[in-house]
Amino acid sequence: MFRYLPFFISLAAATNLYATHYDGNIYTLSLDSGNSLSITLSLKTCGDAPSWLSLDPSTRTLYCSDHSGNAVINGSLTSYSVGQHGRLTELAKTTDVGAAVHSVIYGGKHGKNGGSALTTFTLPLISDEGPLQILRYQMPQPGPKPQQDAPHPHQVILDPTGSFLLVPDLGADQVRVYAIDHHSGHLNACPALNYTAGSGPRHGIFWKSKPSHWAQAPVTMLYTVSELGGHFNAFSVSYASSGCLAFRETQSFVPYPGGQLPAGATPAELRMVGSSIYASIRFDQGFPPNDSLVTSAQLPNGTVKLSQITSSYGTVPRTFAINKKGTLVAIGDQASSNVAIVMRDPRSGELGDLVASLQVGEPGQASNSSTGLSSIIWEE
């Protein structure tokens, strides 16, 4: 079932990446033409616990979310201009509600989630300007798993039309759905996508088929991974006359060889390029002592099948990013606090050899999710 395919690439010039670490720094990394990865700059910024980066390439603006807040103490959102050689200059910093773990740019606005709330801001960000909208979450009672003591939104997803925002909520066992008012930027609640109790949906991605003379109407799919239940789920998405989204589950399986995760292992981030879907698996030690990435291949009908498992070249792969050419994957391993660069075949989608690996900041603790490397992003 699993095959290995060696292949080679060449890099014409140095490429920058940015990484956040819970030590309070944003690190600028450089991958040169000799496949040497190094830290070129570091900036103490973005609060006590920088957790996520979003880049707007059209304005060369980087946004950093601070995870240090909670239900009582506010975190922050900071913007930076991206200069030559990866140099960052702070533009603005404003207070956010709770501990933010993810963000996305939508319709000229900026949406961001953390703690038990979703917060939106008007762009460009202005220092100390208040949020555009705060949507606070509550649960009538705790969920069945210890991690479900309260709502825990983990991501903000923009649909292919740019008209809807989705928020996977690990605590509430649902993906919250919002229709975007493009005039005001405000979010209007739609019926949520509900999961089996104890699932804990964490990350998701949309896919839309390309127009074809032989196909009927384009197909839109939502793929998600659930941290607590360990499942990959596929949903067919339709745009209802009510102005909201409708979902029909088409597939559910455990994205791991043999259909069962090792004890304590959990899926984390999910990404897709072409017809290949990638999920990071934490705490499985599939390549001792390192954890894993699993690759699935999408079939023409929108369903997927597992095709490959490879090393994350570190422990607790919280995040990973694929470059625009589709030739390299940067893996952010949280506990070992290293960035691993892995080859990717853009035709088959298969992952290959390790290109480079670099320690960034101090290693974290596998038992403490607020230590170690927190995110990685390409400057493209």
Side-chain angles (χ1 to χ4, degrees):
M1 180 180 186
F2 303 104
R3 298 181 296 117
Y4 170 72
L5 178 66
F7 51 90
F8 303 93
I9 60 169
S10 62
L11 298 173
T15 303
N16 290 328
L17 302 94
Y18 299 99
T20 54
H21 193 288
Y22 282 130
D23 63 7
N25 283 283
I26 298 178
Y27 293 90
T28 301
L29 313 181
S30 177
L31 181 66
D32 67 21
S33 57
N35 294 340
S36 176
L37 185 64
S38 60
I39 298 174
T40 56
L41 295 166
S42 65
L43 183 65
K44 192 79 170 180
T45 184
C46 190
D48 294 329
S51 66
W52 194 263
L53 294 170
S54 296
L55 177 66
D56 183 352
S58 64
T59 62
R60 293 187 60 77
T61 304
L62 188 72
Y63 297 91
C64 181
S65 303
D66 171 24
H67 193 203
S68 61
N70 54 38
V72 178
I73 303 171
N74 290 329
S76 63
L77 175 65
T78 309
S79 62
Y80 309 86
S81 64
V82 177
Q84 290 187 335
H85 310 298
R87 188 172 298 278
L88 302 177
T89 301
E90 184 174 315
L91 297 174
K93 184 174 184 177
T94 191
T95 299
D96 183 33
V97 174
V101 295
H102 197 273
S103 62
V104 69
I105 298 168
Y106 72 92
K109 312 293 180 184
H110 192 267
K112 154 180 205 297
N113 73 301
S116 295
L118 170 69
T119 312
T120 65
F121 296 87
T122 302
L123 297 185
L125 200 66
I126 299 174
S127 291
D128 299 323
E129 184 176 69
L132 174 69
Q133 192 175 15
I134 301 173
L135 301 172
R136 300 181 187 274
Y137 300 146
Q138 294 182 340
M139 291 165 48
Q141 59 187 21
K145 300 289 181 66
Q147 301 93 326
Q148 297 180 304
D149 57 333
H152 292 298
H154 256 281
Q155 187 192 21
V156 187
I157 316 167
L158 189 64
D159 87 308
T161 70
S163 297
F164 295 89
L165 275 182
L166 274 64
V167 182
D169 189 333
L170 183 151
D173 284 322
Q174 61 181 205
V175 173
R176 302 177 188 271
V177 182
Y178 299 93
I180 300 171
D181 183 325
H182 287 289
H183 177 70
S184 66
H186 280 258
L187 305 179
N188 299 310
C190 286
L193 171 60
N194 294 309
Y195 287 66
T196 302
S199 295
R202 178 183 174 97
H203 272 237
I205 49 175
F206 274 101
W207 172 81
K208 183 178 181 180
S209 64
K210 295 180 179 179
S212 169
H213 293 295
W214 298 275
Q216 297 179 350
V219 175
T220 300
M221 301 292 296
L222 172 68
Y223 301 117
T224 66
V225 285
S226 294
E227 177 179 331
L228 306 182
H231 276 71
F232 175 99
N233 296 87
F235 302 90
S236 173
V237 182
S238 58
Y239 293 80
S241 58
S242 63
C244 288
L245 298 179
F247 303 91
R248 179 177 61 86
E249 185 175 88
T250 61
Q251 194 176 14
S252 177
F253 68 95
V254 176
Y256 203 79
Q260 183 174 355
L261 287 165
T266 63
E269 189 165 17
L270 191 66
R271 291 191 182 270
M272 183 175 186
V273 176
S275 59
S276 297
I277 302 172
Y278 305 90
S280 58
I281 307 295
R282 304 176 301 175
F283 308 110
D284 76 315
Q285 294 194 333
F287 298 82
N290 298 325
D291 293 324
S292 308
L293 262 66
V294 292
T295 304
S296 297
Q298 185 191 50
L299 304 178
N301 63 0
T303 60
V304 302
K305 65 175 182 178
L306 197 67
S307 61
Q308 186 188 32
I309 182 169
T310 54
S311 177
S312 68
Y313 297 97
T315 53
V316 190
R318 183 179 192 263
T319 178
F320 63 98
I322 304 167
N323 69 347
K324 280 189 177 181
K325 291 182 179 180
T327 55
L328 295 171
V329 180
I331 305 168
D333 292 300
Q334 183 174 1
S336 53
S337 197
N338 69 295
V339 174
I341 307 295
V342 175
M343 291 182 177
R344 178 183 179 273
D345 186 333
R347 294 163 301 194
S348 69
E350 291 186 341
L351 303 186
D353 287 340
L354 177 70
V355 172
S357 182
L358 177 69
Q359 182 81 39
V360 179
E362 294 294 324
Q365 302 172 15
S367 60
N368 187 343
S369 62
S370 294
T371 62
L373 192 80
S374 53
S375 74
I376 185 72
I377 189 172
W378 295 90
E379 183 196 317
E380 294 182 307

